[in-house]
Amino acid sequence: MPMSLSARLLERTFVYRLWQAPFAEQKFAPVLANNDLRRVRRVLDVGCGPGTSTTYFSGSDYLGIDINERYIRDARKRHQRNFLVADVRSYVADPEERFDFVLANSFLHHLNTEDVLGILSHMRSLLTSDGTIHALELVMPKDKSIARLLAQWDRGKFARSEDEWQSIFCSIFEPVVLELYPLTGLGTTLWNMVYFKGRPKL
């Protein structure tokens, strides 16, 4: 299916960064509120884009993964950190190279449920024994609103309700934090988001 004009524009790193900039701090706020990032040893940033979240992990061993070569090229140039063009499902880490912090920031709502479950299961295999996964995702509100309209317009076609996200995350991970929160602008809620922090189920 051909991409829409807006989707093609967002494939360009400058446009993508410009679009994300006003909301990046709001979107990441629950991660900062619920974690001491100074203690994070190794980070895997899945669907990292052009390095949207990279600066939060300046004190950690960091690897960003994305299938978009243009994003990765831009991220390497801007951040001088480790980035890899790859599908996370084919990425394998030896036990000594696993991560205590795996992040998926606004990535999973681009994928159908079967793919999401497969990726989350694979992410679990990349975690250390004390590691946690952190997902920030677009929520589809139940009632008519600006937030629902914008979620429907998003280029990710799989925004889900809070209950659907909870069911998906908790099928693979033990929840530590599950928090619904708004992204606001001009005095109104523009998007609803969910933050999930989880540990692998024993």
Side-chain angles (χ1 to χ4, degrees), residues 98-112:
R98 289 177 185 167
F99 303 87
D100 59 310
F101 196 106
V102 173
L103 173 68
N105 185 351
S106 301
F107 164 59
L108 299 173
H109 72 283
H110 293 273
L111 304 168
N112 65 45

Side-chain angles (χ1 to χ4, degrees), residues 157-178:
K157 299 307 176 188
F158 297 95
R160 298 169 172 90
S161 69
E162 181 184 6
D163 290 343
E164 288 175 301
W165 282 123
Q166 180 175 352
S167 176
I168 287 171
F169 293 140
C170 294
S171 68
I172 297 172
F173 296 96
E174 192 71 35
V176 177
V177 178
L178 182 68

Side-chain angles (χ1 to χ4, degrees), residues 88-193:
V88 67
R89 289 170 289 194
S90 62
Y91 177 77
V92 178
D94 292 332
E96 65 274 11
E97 295 178 340
R98 289 177 185 167
F99 303 87
D100 59 310
F101 196 106
V102 173
L103 173 68
N105 185 351
S106 301
F107 164 59
L108 299 173
H109 72 283
H110 293 273
L111 304 168
N112 65 45
T113 299
E114 182 180 357
D115 285 341
V116 169
L117 290 171
I119 285 174
L120 290 176
S121 294
H122 186 64
M123 285 180 180
R124 181 176 55 188
S125 74
L126 301 173
L127 284 168
T128 58
S129 59
D130 62 344
T132 48
I133 184 173
H134 304 261
L136 303 167
E137 276 305 332
L138 178 64
V139 171
M140 179 65 74
K142 295 177 182 177
D143 300 324
K144 290 183 179 179
S145 61
I146 292 174
R148 182 175 175 85
L149 183 62
L150 290 174
Q152 290 172 333
W153 284 353
D154 192 276
R155 61 176 176 153
K157 299 307 176 188
F158 297 95
R160 298 169 172 90
S161 69
E162 181 184 6
D163 290 343
E164 288 175 301
W165 282 123
Q166 180 175 352
S167 176
I168 287 171
F169 293 140
C170 294
S171 68
I172 297 172
F173 296 96
E174 192 71 35
V176 177
V177 178
L178 182 68
E179 177 183 332
L180 189 70
Y181 65 104
L183 298 186
T184 61
L186 303 175
T188 191
T189 296
L190 299 177
W191 288 275
N192 284 311
M193 299 287 296

